[in-house]
Amino acid sequence: MKSSNIDKAIFWPALAIVAILTIPIFLNPKQGTAALGKIHHVITESLGSVYLWAVIAAVVFLLWLAFSKYGNVKFGDPDTKPEFSTPSWLAMLFTAGIGASITYWCGIEWAYYYTAPPFGAEAKSMQAIDWAATYGLFHWGFSAWALYCLPALPIAYNLYVRKKPSVQLSAACEGVLKKGADSWLGKAIDVFFIFGLIGGMGAAFGLGLPLISEAVAALFGMTRSITLDIILIIILTLIFCISAYFGLKKGLKRLANMNMYLFLALSVFVLLAGPTLFIISRFTDSVGVLLQNFFRMSFYTDSVAKSGFPEAWTIFYWAWWFTCAPYMGIFVAKISKGRTIKQIILAECIGGTIGCWVAFAIFGNTGLYMELNKIVPVSDILETKGAEAAIISIYQGLPMSGIALLAISIITLIFLSATLDSSSYTLANVASRKVSLDEEPARWHKLVWALAIEVVAFSMMFSGGLHALQSVVVITSVPLVLIMAMSAISLVRWLKEDEEKNRVHISDIGATNNGHVERLTS
Ligand code: NM2
C-alpha cells in the first residue's frame, strides 16, 4: 500500500484529536489532567444514566435477536461451513477481546470495592466483601460481552450476507446513513472509532506496562523507576517493529495464542497453590449475589448519596468496553463466516463471560483470601504503594512466587505486543482508502498508530494514573454509544429489508436452507 492510499479525511482528523487530548497533559500534567477530569465529570453527570440504559438495551436486544426468527440467519451462503472448529473459534474470540487488562484487574479490582464499597456499605465489612468479590464478575460479565458482541453482527452481515467487502464501522452503519459510508457522517464514524480505540487500548497499555515494570523490579529486587518503564516501552516497540518489518504477523499471532495457554497454566497453578476451596465457594457465593442484584447493579446511579461509585466504576467500565467493541467486532466478523447470529451471541455472551469469570474467581479470590487471613495486607499496599505493588504482593504470597512473577511479566508483555500489533493494524486499515480485506496496510502507517497508543498510555501513566486513564476512556467512548446504536438499527433494517425482498418469512427458510437469507437483488 502506498502513502496515497491514506484516507486523509480519516487519518488527519483522528490524529489531530488524539494530539488535542494528549498535548495538554504533556505540557502541564497537573492542569491537563484536571481539565480532563472536569470533562469526565460533566459526561458522567449528564450521560451516566444513558450508559446504563444503553448496556441493558444491548443485553435485551441481543437476547431478542438470538431467540427471534433472525437468530438462525447465517453469515454466508447456505452451504458455507465455518472456517474454524468451534473450540478454536471460541479461543480466538476470547483472545481477541481480552488482553493485558485482565491480568491487571482480575487480581486487584476487588480491593477497590472492599475499601470503598457501593450501596452505602461500610468499608471492609461483610457486605463490602460480598460486593468486592461480585462486582468484578459484573463488570466483566454478560453485559460487558453484549457490548463486545453488538458491532460484530452488522459488520458480519454486511460482509457475508450483503457481500460488501468492507469491515469499516461506517459501512456497518450504512443502513441508517442516508448518504452512505463515504459521506462526512460515515467518515466521522470512522474517526470516532479510531479515537475510541486509541483511548481503550491506551488504557490497557497504561495499566499493563507499570504491572510488568513492578513485576520485573520485584524479580530482580529493585525499585520500580521511570527508567525501567521507558526500557520496557522500548522493548515493546522493538518487538512490534521486528514483527511489522520482518512480516512476523503469523509468528506474533502464534505467540498470542500460546500466551493464552500460559495464562491458563498460571491460573491452574494459582487455583491449586492458592486457597482452592475458598476460591470455589466464594465464587459460588458471588454468582448468587450477582444474580440476585443484577438489575440493581445495572441501574445503580447513586443519585442521592452520590458516592461516585457508579461513575468511577460501572460507567467507566462500560465506556471502556464501548471503546474496544468495534475493533472486536471487526475481528469477530472476520473469523465468523458460516456461523449464525445466535451462535455469535451465545459464544460471546456466555463463552466470554465464563473465561473472564474464571480469571476473576481464581486471582481475585486468592487476593481476598490473603487479605482476610492476614497473609498479605493487600488493601494497605494498594493504598500506600499503589495497585501494581498490591497485585505483585499477591503473587509473592504464593509458593514458587519467582516463577509466578516471571510468568505474569511474560504474559503481560506478550499481551501488550499482540494488542499493539493487532490494534495498529486495524487502525491503519480503517484510515486507508479501499484496502481489500487481505491487503496489508503500510508498515509506517501501522507504526504511527502504535506510537499514538503508546503516547496516550504514557500521558495517562505520568499524569493522574488511574484517574487520568478513566477520564480518557470515558471521553473517547461518548460518540461510540450513539454509533453502536446506529449499527444495531442498521442491522435490524437490513434484516427486515432482506426478509421482505425474499418475500418469504425467514423462519420458513430456516426449515429448508438453514436460516440463510439470500438477497435476490444484490
Ligand atoms: N476491556 C476488556 O487489551 C485489553 O485488555 C483491552 C479491555 C474492554 C476492559 C480490553
Side-chain angles (χ1 to χ4, degrees):
M1 198 188 81
K2 287 177 219 91
S3 56
S4 57
N5 281 355
I6 297 297
D7 191 331
K8 294 190 184 82
I10 297 176
F11 182 84
W12 289 112
L15 215 53
I17 28 185
V18 172
I20 293 171
L21 189 73
T22 47
I23 288 174
I25 305 184
F26 279 119
L27 291 182
N28 191 335
K30 230 178 173 182
Q31 278 185 0
T33 322
L36 283 188
K38 268 196 194 127
I39 306 175
H40 174 187
H41 184 72
V42 171
I43 294 171
T44 47
E45 272 264 290
S46 49
L47 296 177
S49 305
V50 175
Y51 279 80
L52 300 185
W53 282 105
V55 173
I56 277 291
V59 173
V60 173
F61 174 69
L62 292 185
L63 266 176
W64 164 74
L65 199 58
F67 297 102
S68 72
K69 56 187 173 185
Y70 302 122
N72 290 327
V73 168
K74 192 177 194 177
F75 293 118
D77 295 324
D79 51 354
T80 311
K81 293 264 173 299
E83 227 174 299
F84 303 97
S85 72
T86 304
S88 51
W89 179 61
L90 285 173
M92 281 194 273
L93 279 182
F94 189 72
T95 327
I98 297 298
S101 52
I102 201 167
T103 61
Y104 186 98
W105 286 112
C106 70
I108 201 62
E109 193 167 328
W110 65 269
Y112 285 96
Y113 311 149
Y114 176 65
T115 47
F119 302 110
E122 205 181 303
K124 304 192 181 182
S125 63
M126 197 44 233
Q127 263 178 315
I129 295 174
D130 264 347
W131 292 124
T134 305
Y135 250 97
L137 304 186
F138 175 57
H139 291 149
W140 294 74
F142 31 84
S143 317
W145 279 89
L147 289 185
Y148 254 14
C149 180
L150 197 63
L153 303 172
I155 296 174
Y157 193 88
N158 199 33
L159 197 59
Y160 302 120
V161 181
R162 295 174 67 88
K163 299 197 170 22
K164 300 270 172 69
S166 169
V167 287
Q168 312 275 82
L169 188 57
S170 52
C173 295
E174 258 191 333
V176 288
L177 293 178
K178 277 202 190 107
K179 293 188 179 155
D182 262 337
S183 62
W184 72 265
L185 195 53
K187 301 279 181 209
I189 288 175
D190 291 326
V191 168
F192 287 129
F193 160 68
I194 292 180
F195 184 49
L197 188 57
I198 289 181
M201 291 311 181
F205 253 77
L207 295 171
L209 252 184
L211 180 62
I212 309 173
S213 193
E214 194 76 46
V216 171
L219 264 174
F220 295 102
M222 318 183 284
T223 35
R224 201 191 126 201
S225 63
I226 293 189
T227 324
L228 188 57
D229 288 357
I230 292 175
I231 292 174
L232 283 168
I233 275 223
I234 294 174
I235 294 177
L236 255 166
T237 315
L238 279 180
I239 298 180
F240 170 79
C241 289
I242 292 169
S243 106
Y245 277 83
F246 297 102
L248 299 180
K249 198 158 173 50
K250 279 206 178 110
L252 203 64
K253 238 186 207 149
R254 229 170 280 148
L255 205 63
N257 290 343
M258 268 164 46
N259 205 34
M260 261 300 155
Y261 291 112
L262 200 58
F263 190 42
L264 201 66
L266 183 66
S267 310
V268 173
F269 166 75
V270 176
L271 175 67
L272 299 178
T276 316
L277 290 179
F278 178 78
I279 290 173
I280 297 168
S281 78
R282 184 55 256 187
F283 169 68
T284 311
D285 239 344
S286 302
V287 173
V289 178
L290 175 61
L291 294 180
Q292 175 79 15
N293 295 286
F294 175 73
F295 290 109
R296 185 72 195 93
M297 294 157 93
S298 296
F299 290 110
Y300 179 46
T301 61
D302 207 7
S303 50
V304 178
K306 288 191 183 294
S307 63
F309 184 96
E311 290 87 351
W313 294 108
T314 307
I315 294 161
F316 152 66
Y317 260 117
W318 292 166
W320 199 2
W321 289 85
F322 265 116
T323 59
C324 300
Y327 154 82
M328 174 73 175
I330 293 175
F331 182 82
V332 173
K334 279 188 178 171
I335 60 166
S336 298
K337 191 172 181 183
R339 300 279 169 185
T340 65
I341 286 188
K342 189 179 185 171
Q343 282 171 343
I344 295 186
I345 296 175
L346 295 185
E348 286 211 52
C349 295
I350 298 178
T353 300
I354 293 175
C356 289
W357 281 12
V358 168
F360 272 76
I362 297 177
F363 293 90
N365 290 329
T366 300
L368 181 61
Y369 180 86
M370 290 180 176
E371 166 86 24
L372 298 178
N373 290 282
K374 304 198 175 2
I375 301 169
V376 179
V378 184
S379 62
D380 289 346
I381 301 178
L382 173 67
E383 240 156 69
T384 51
K385 295 191 188 150
E388 296 84 25
I391 299 169
I392 297 307
S393 73
I394 300 171
Y395 288 103
Q396 284 172 325
L398 290 167
M400 294 195 279
S401 61
I403 297 180
L405 280 179
L406 185 65
I408 199 67
S409 323
I410 294 175
I411 291 167
T412 314
L413 189 73
I414 298 178
F415 264 147
L416 286 187
S417 26
T419 301
L420 202 57
D421 186 69
S422 49
S423 32
S424 61
Y425 175 79
T426 308
L427 290 166
N429 256 325
V430 171
S432 303
R433 263 187 294 136
K434 299 196 180 61
V435 174
S436 81
L437 281 182
D438 324 296
E439 205 177 326
E440 293 278 326
R443 293 172 193 142
W444 71 264
H445 190 185
K446 271 180 70 179
L447 189 61
V448 168
W449 295 119
L451 289 176
I453 293 174
E454 289 187 347
V455 166
V456 170
F458 239 66
S459 73
M460 295 176 192
M461 277 164 62
F462 293 113
S463 49
L466 183 60
H467 290 300
L469 184 137
Q470 288 175 321
S471 301
V472 170
V473 168
V474 168
I475 294 169
T476 55
S477 74
V478 178
L480 287 166
V481 181
L482 192 69
I483 295 171
M484 294 252 289
M486 285 167 77
S487 75
I489 298 170
S490 177
L491 174 69
V492 175
R493 278 205 185 154
W494 283 334
L495 283 166
K496 288 195 187 283
E497 219 177 87
D498 291 351
E499 181 185 15
E500 242 161 56
K501 281 194 177 135
N502 282 295
R503 287 179 206 92
V504 189
H505 204 266
I506 289 183
S507 53
D508 295 343
I509 306 176
T512 52
N513 76 356
N514 214 6
H516 170 74
V517 189
E518 208 158 340
R519 279 169 65 89
L520 298 177
T521 49
S522 64

